[in-house]
Amino acid sequence: TLTEGKPKLVDVLPADGFDLKEFLRLAASLEQNSEHPLAAAIVQGAKEKGVVIEAVKDFRSVTAAGVLGTVAGRAVMVGKLDLLRNEKVSGLEPLAASAVKLQEQGKTAMFVAVDSKPAGILAVADPIKSTTLESLRELHELGLKLVMLTGDNRRTADVVAKQLGLDAVEAEVEPAGK
């Protein structure tokens, strides 16, 4: 693992018409039922901001895509852009454009929809371990080529791989492919 393994919620970007605390409450409440480390980062980040987490009904996890459920009577989705598209959420272009900027900073952008409408983006980052650069340098000195294998978005993965001087990157790999 190249990172500390302690992802943190770094950006909360509600779409127009969504209150920041309400947006974060809905998303974090849904994410509390997920086992994914990025979900835990969202829940922790929300709690640090004083957001009260609520119960979820009809929770469903879609492997390598995201989660869906009902929070306070509202249908909530958090995950990859394709999940929202597959669930017939339209008008995602502004969110997709915002996500590109976050991904170019090495952040993982997760899309949120509420009641089938684009609601915003949550971005999570996992800091690089302090020992990673030295370890990678030593491996390169041994003549090894280093490839990063990640489930993250191609843009985000490319940024991190470049920062670390890796030889190649395989992005958007589903858990079974790892």
Side-chain angles (χ1 to χ4, degrees):
T1 302
L2 304 171
T3 62
E4 292 178 3
K6 298 175 185 170
K8 294 185 181 359
L9 179 63
V10 292
D11 293 290
V12 179
L13 306 170
D16 289 343
F18 284 89
D19 172 75
L20 188 137
K21 286 247 179 175
E22 173 70 0
F23 165 72
L24 188 53
R25 180 182 66 82
L26 293 170
S29 293
L30 178 63
E31 288 285 22
Q32 74 180 319
N33 288 3
S34 175
E35 297 175 358
H36 200 284
L38 299 182
I42 291 168
V43 173
Q44 182 61 35
K47 287 179 178 177
E48 288 170 4
K49 293 180 185 328
V51 172
V52 176
I53 306 298
E54 295 195 29
V56 177
K57 292 181 182 175
D58 306 317
F59 179 83
R60 183 166 54 107
S61 177
V62 180
T63 302
V67 291
L68 306 93
T70 304
V71 179
R74 303 189 75 183
V76 182
M77 291 178 239
V78 180
K80 293 182 177 178
L81 189 59
D82 284 346
L83 172 71
L84 276 64
R85 285 183 175 142
N86 290 341
E87 294 294 323
K88 309 299 185 236
V89 177
S90 60
L92 293 165
E93 294 74 21
L95 293 186
S98 295
V100 169
K101 294 174 187 163
L102 296 166
Q103 293 160 347
E104 288 172 345
Q105 297 168 22
K107 299 173 183 177
T108 300
M110 287 165 284
F111 298 86
V112 180
V114 175
D115 297 330
S116 298
K117 293 181 178 57
I121 298 175
L122 298 169
V124 174
D126 192 357
I128 304 296
K129 282 184 193 173
S130 61
T131 56
T132 295
L133 286 172
E134 178 64 18
S135 298
L136 295 177
R137 185 192 59 74
E138 290 174 6
L139 291 169
H140 270 131
E141 285 178 0
L142 294 172
L144 297 173
K145 292 205 179 275
L146 304 175
V147 179
M148 180 172 71
L149 185 67
T150 180
D152 216 332
N153 170 278
R154 165 67 56 194
R155 248 180 246 97
T156 301
D158 285 343
V159 168
V160 173
K162 185 175 179 181
Q163 289 173 350
L164 297 174
L166 297 175
D167 300 298
V169 62
E170 293 291 329
E172 300 175 12
V173 179
E174 294 192 13
K178 294 180 186 177

